[in-house]
Amino acid sequence: MRARVMPGGRVRGETTVPGDKSIAHRWLMLAATADGPCRLEGLPRSLDVRSTASCLAALSPALRPALEAWASSPPVTPERDGSTWNGGASTLDVDPLDLRPRGRGSLTSPSSDLDCGNSGTTMRLLAGLLAAAPFEATLRGDDSLTERPMERVAEPLRAMGAEVTTSDGHAPLAIRGSALHGIRFVPEVPSAQVKTAILLAGLAAEGTTTVTERVTTRDHTERLLDALGASVRVHGTEVTLDGPYQHGGFMGTVPGDPSAAAFVAGAVALTGGETSIVGLGLNPTRTSFLRVLERMGVRIEVEVEGRGLGEPVGSLRAAGVGSLRPASVGVDELPLVIDEVPLLAAVAAHADGETRFEGAGELRAKESDRLVALVDGIRDLGGDAAVDGDALVIGGGGLAGGNARSAGDHRIAMSLIVAALAARGPCEVDAVEASTVSFPGFLELLRGLGADVEVVG
Ligand code: S3P
């Protein structure tokens, strides 16, 4: 599916965005292994989150009907609800998922391999969840996921006592759970997925589990575990959990995904529009991209209005104010904007100077090689981009227009569509159906907010 973008429209209005994908994976996994009833609202029906729900359904006959019914219902089509565009969270999309789980001991051996689809978070987190399960399970994924590194999660889980085999460091991943013991681990690459896999295993392990990172990655797991009464302590970049611990049931509403909001904020920045995004997750480990947009000259205001299961929720106002400055990102800031680099690069392509993203090598191991995909896509649209060692270098100065390849990667496709909104001529972006991996309804929402975007085949 290709999208055609005619630049010139101004993106403006109040909106919601789909529920947070990272939070949804974690809340679903901890709900399915709780000992007591759970109710989750605002779960996004993006493909990645459906993958997690389907895997959990395969692991729990008792929860299967509810999970399958949830996973098979269609995503929200963005529509206006009073003065707010409903882009997927809160307002209209409130039908809850109710589960009556009986603790992690009630998971059972799946009758076939677990299909994680395109979702690295599903695969790595499930590996941790299953590390203590008394059966063997095999995790598979699509071609893109099969290319991604899995040894980083297999190694610490083995150290805790699980039997984990990879295929030369990649999926399929075979896990035979065992009695686990806590470990101290320092991941080579800062990764919230690796940290979470270890903490999920640590919940079932005897003793203390400690993960120390170079920089603090997203901390949704720590916040939820603390809200559920686990003994979890955070000191700087070190997280410690005492196991074993069986949590009870819980209720919560998944806040809007800041990484999805980034695309709307970027569209506003590039078209001189303004937006207010409500019901948004404002966890500080997820909002560093706002600092980068501010440095570029975008007006940003954030207001925390509440808190649920440890997660701050509120609203974001963003306004584009004309020309954009280049705003480089250093090695220590890069892991904090890991998912927003594609969008920030798209905005940087219109800044009046060169932007460097330093220490961005980890982007090679995402749903595509995002360094290559961004350079290709930005050049396809007539821009200036290059890779310099582990740095991504975006030349700035604007885009002429043209036909761009998106490597079938959701964040690349959406970033190029946003970049195209301010090009000097018409643009097309291919494989835009990939946006359903994290942001179903993205094109419809942009159109609702005033962009001239359509699917052309
Ligand atoms: C995620 C962590 C990040 C991020 C991914 C979601 C998570 O991956 O890129 O989209 O939910 O924990 P890494 O942990 O591999 O950096």
Side-chain angles (χ1 to χ4, degrees):
M1 231 162 81
R2 283 173 303 125
R4 181 187 297 144
V5 182
M6 301 300 285
R10 182 164 280 200
V11 173
R12 55 169 70 240
E14 181 170 296
T15 188
T16 65
V17 291
D20 190 300
K21 182 159 87 71
S22 288
I23 292 178
H25 290 296
R26 289 158 170 80
W27 289 15
L28 267 171
M29 288 189 197
L30 283 161
T33 52
D35 189 8
C38 293
R39 167 169 280 205
L40 302 183
E41 296 190 54
L43 283 169
R45 285 193 173 79
S46 51
L47 291 184
D48 273 7
V49 177
R50 286 170 196 258
S51 293
T52 287
S54 308
C55 290
L56 292 170
L59 288 161
S60 174
L63 304 180
R64 191 170 301 154
L67 285 165
E68 282 182 348
W70 177 83
S72 61
S73 51
V76 169
T77 303
E79 55 184 85
R80 195 188 284 279
D81 180 18
S83 63
T84 304
W85 272 86
N86 172 34
S90 69
T91 51
L92 303 178
D93 186 26
V94 290
D95 61 338
L97 172 67
D98 283 307
L99 297 176
R100 302 199 154 269
R102 291 276 159 85
R104 64 176 164 265
S106 64
L107 296 185
T108 57
S109 174
S111 56
S112 54
D113 292 356
L114 299 171
D115 181 3
C116 302
N118 191 243
S119 177
T121 314
T122 304
M123 185 170 280
R124 295 189 179 125
L125 269 53
L126 270 183
L129 195 77
L130 295 176
F135 50 80
E136 184 168 339
T138 299
L139 307 177
R140 293 184 180 277
D142 68 9
D143 291 347
S144 145
L145 183 49
T146 305
E147 296 265 302
R148 299 178 64 185
M150 290 299 147
E151 199 53 44
R152 56 178 64 181
V153 77
E155 184 201 336
L157 296 178
R158 277 187 210 114
M160 296 178 83
E163 266 180 53
V164 185
T165 51
T166 63
S167 170
D168 206 14
H170 298 89
L173 209 59
I175 299 163
R176 176 176 286 282
S178 296
L180 303 181
H181 52 85
I183 54 165
R184 252 186 182 278
F185 194 74
V186 183
E188 240 168 69
V189 184
S191 163
Q193 295 178 354
V194 171
K195 173 176 62 176
T196 299
I198 297 169
L199 291 176
L200 292 178
L203 264 187
E206 279 300 331
T208 299
T209 297
T210 302
V211 183
T212 310
E213 300 187 289
R214 181 168 60 78
V215 296
T216 301
T217 57
R218 64 193 71 191
D219 63 358
H220 305 301
T221 310
E222 297 89 303
R223 284 173 187 257
L224 180 58
L225 290 177
D226 183 54
L228 298 182
S231 171
V232 60
R233 299 173 296 284
V234 179
H235 293 294
T237 58
E238 185 167 285
V239 187
T240 302
L241 172 69
D242 295 332
Y245 180 71
Q246 173 61 64
H247 55 288
F250 62 96
M251 293 172 67
T253 301
V254 179
D257 194 329
S259 301
F263 295 107
V264 180
V268 156
L270 289 179
T271 63
E274 57 185 303
T275 189
S276 170
I277 303 175
V278 295
L280 186 64
L282 293 171
N283 179 318
T285 61
R286 296 291 300 285
T287 52
S288 291
F289 76 91
L290 293 172
R291 303 290 84 76
V292 183
L293 287 177
E294 262 177 338
R295 299 205 297 270
M296 288 174 158
V298 183
R299 236 187 13 243
I300 300 285
E301 279 171 43
V302 159
E303 197 175 339
V304 174
E305 287 147 6
R307 201 170 278 274
L309 294 173
E311 295 287 347
V313 185
S315 56
L316 159 68
R317 285 174 175 279
V321 290
S323 71
L324 291 161
R325 296 186 291 272
S328 288
V329 171
V331 280
D332 284 341
E333 190 175 28
L334 199 286
L336 304 175
V337 297
I338 187 84
D339 287 342
E340 292 80 37
V341 169
L343 176 275
L344 293 171
V347 178
H350 295 277
D352 55 9
E354 182 182 282
T355 300
R356 292 179 68 88
F357 295 90
E358 302 288 355
E362 183 61 13
L363 272 94
R364 295 186 189 281
K366 294 295 178 187
E367 286 82 330
S368 66
D369 178 337
R370 286 188 173 156
L371 295 185
V372 168
L374 282 166
V375 168
D376 286 350
I378 288 172
R379 286 187 183 163
D380 286 345
L381 295 179
D384 176 8
V387 177
D388 175 15
D390 263 357
L392 173 67
V393 187
I394 306 294
L399 300 174
N403 295 341
R405 295 160 287 171
S406 70
D409 178 327
H410 57 127
R411 295 199 201 279
I412 301 293
M414 292 189 280
S415 300
L416 293 173
I417 289 169
V418 169
L421 294 172
R424 293 185 289 276
C427 301
E428 284 191 14
V429 178
D430 76 1
V432 295
E433 66 280 4
S435 59
T436 53
V437 161
S438 63
F439 200 156
F442 172 67
L443 290 176
E444 293 87 339
L445 182 64
L446 264 192
R447 207 167 35 238
L449 294 173
D452 189 346
V453 188
E454 62 174 336
V455 171
V456 287

